[in-house]
Amino acid sequence: MSQIGPNIKKLRKVKGLSQQAFAELFNLSRGNISSYEEQRAEPKIDVTTQIAQYFSIPLQDLLHKSLSVNEILKFDDYFEPKSSLKNSSFKNIPFLSKDHFQELEKYSGNLELLPQITFPIFSPKQFLAIELQHLVDHHIDFSFQEGAIAFFKKLHVGSLHLIHNQFGMYYQEDTLFIGKYFVEDKKITLALNDWQQVIVNPEQLEHFWRYDGIFQQVLD
């Protein structure tokens, strides 16, 4: 039995995308995504291939395997047998816990002043992890569980054409919010809501981050 519908729903949820946002990534309608998730229809093979490539999921796994959250976030590949964990080289990532949000001005956006957590993300890219709480200003479509840890990857010029309708974070001195990127012509904005947004300046990308994934408990 095909797993494409349940896997699309799980991909969308883990990546924090609404049905509309997911649909726009692949030139589909929200109704298309709804019908796939409810298994009333299946996407064409070219669409399925695009989804697999976009999220770096093997096509056969997307079609026939019930993907786990760890597989979607690429964590499974990083864990080794328990006996060899001591030899692993996990990534140290600057970490903003809920306590740090009370004194953002103390760190002034300097990641070197933050404590670090060790996590199995093997990538040369720069990451920032934050402990989510509803006091953090966030876009209305960005859903999360209180206390979950979200990972953000530093935005770079080569990925600017891929960030439309993607979630991201702006962090500079005492200002931090999670918004959604919008690309129109050559203008890129990160919007928190209809009234607050910042223009992405390619010369100041150190303040902009792209949402990469989330780690949270699965509640019964």
Side-chain angles (χ1 to χ4, degrees):
M1 181 178 177
S2 174
Q3 294 295 317
I4 183 64
N7 282 337
I8 285 177
K9 184 174 184 178
K10 188 171 291 185
L11 272 168
R12 183 175 63 77
K13 292 288 188 179
V14 170
K15 294 296 185 178
L17 297 169
S18 66
Q19 288 185 336
Q20 182 63 39
F22 192 99
E24 290 178 0
L25 289 175
F26 307 103
N27 294 317
L28 300 169
S29 69
R30 190 200 64 78
N32 289 142
I33 304 305
S34 177
S35 65
Y36 301 157
E37 293 184 355
E38 295 173 10
Q39 297 182 288
R40 292 183 281 108
E42 289 193 355
K44 296 179 180 179
I45 188 61
D46 61 323
V47 173
T48 304
T49 302
Q50 289 179 44
I51 294 172
Q53 291 176 342
Y54 186 88
F55 292 106
S56 300
I57 301 291
L59 180 59
Q60 289 302 309
D61 287 357
L62 182 63
L63 285 169
H64 303 298
K65 184 177 182 180
S66 179
L67 297 173
S68 69
V69 173
N70 280 349
E71 287 172 318
I72 292 172
L73 293 178
K74 306 302 181 188
F75 292 164
D76 281 355
D77 294 339
Y78 306 136
F79 286 101
E80 302 177 39
K82 188 174 182 180
S83 61
S84 63
L85 277 178
K86 62 182 180 181
N87 297 320
S88 298
S89 179
F90 288 7
K91 191 176 185 69
N92 292 322
I93 300 172
F95 178 52
L96 276 169
S97 73
K98 61 182 180 181
D99 297 326
H100 294 115
F101 291 107
Q102 306 298 324
E103 46 183 4
L104 280 178
E105 68 280 357
K106 174 180 176 181
Y107 303 98
S108 300
N110 188 347
L111 303 186
E112 294 182 357
L113 298 178
L114 293 173
Q116 297 184 333
I117 61 171
T118 301
F119 212 76
I121 295 180
F122 296 161
S123 169
K125 304 296 184 182
Q126 187 174 11
F127 285 81
L128 176 61
I130 69 170
E131 183 179 8
L132 297 172
Q133 56 175 323
H134 284 87
L135 292 177
V136 176
D137 290 334
H138 59 279
H139 193 278
I140 189 172
D141 291 338
F142 187 77
S143 59
F144 59 87
Q145 173 184 308
E146 191 87 8
I149 299 176
F151 294 87
F152 293 85
K153 183 187 299 183
K154 180 66 68 68
L155 203 60
H156 59 92
V157 173
S159 66
L160 294 181
H161 65 294
L162 298 173
I163 62 174
H164 180 65
N165 256 332
Q166 299 290 299
F167 291 117
M169 181 173 65
Y170 176 75
Y171 177 34
Q172 182 180 18
E173 298 182 349
D174 61 348
T175 301
L176 184 152
F177 69 83
I178 298 171
K180 184 179 285 189
Y181 287 110
F182 294 97
V183 180
E184 185 175 357
D185 296 326
K186 293 185 178 181
K187 181 181 178 182
I188 305 173
T189 58
L190 180 65
L192 173 62
N193 50 43
D194 291 339
W195 305 278
Q196 184 176 350
Q197 55 186 296
V198 290
I199 297 175
V200 179
N201 184 342
E203 297 180 357
Q204 295 181 321
L205 291 184
E206 68 271 16
H207 304 309
F208 295 91
W209 302 77
R210 181 179 180 179
Y211 176 64
D212 190 71
I214 195 166
F215 179 81
Q216 64 185 23
Q217 288 183 310
V218 177
L219 302 179
D220 294 330

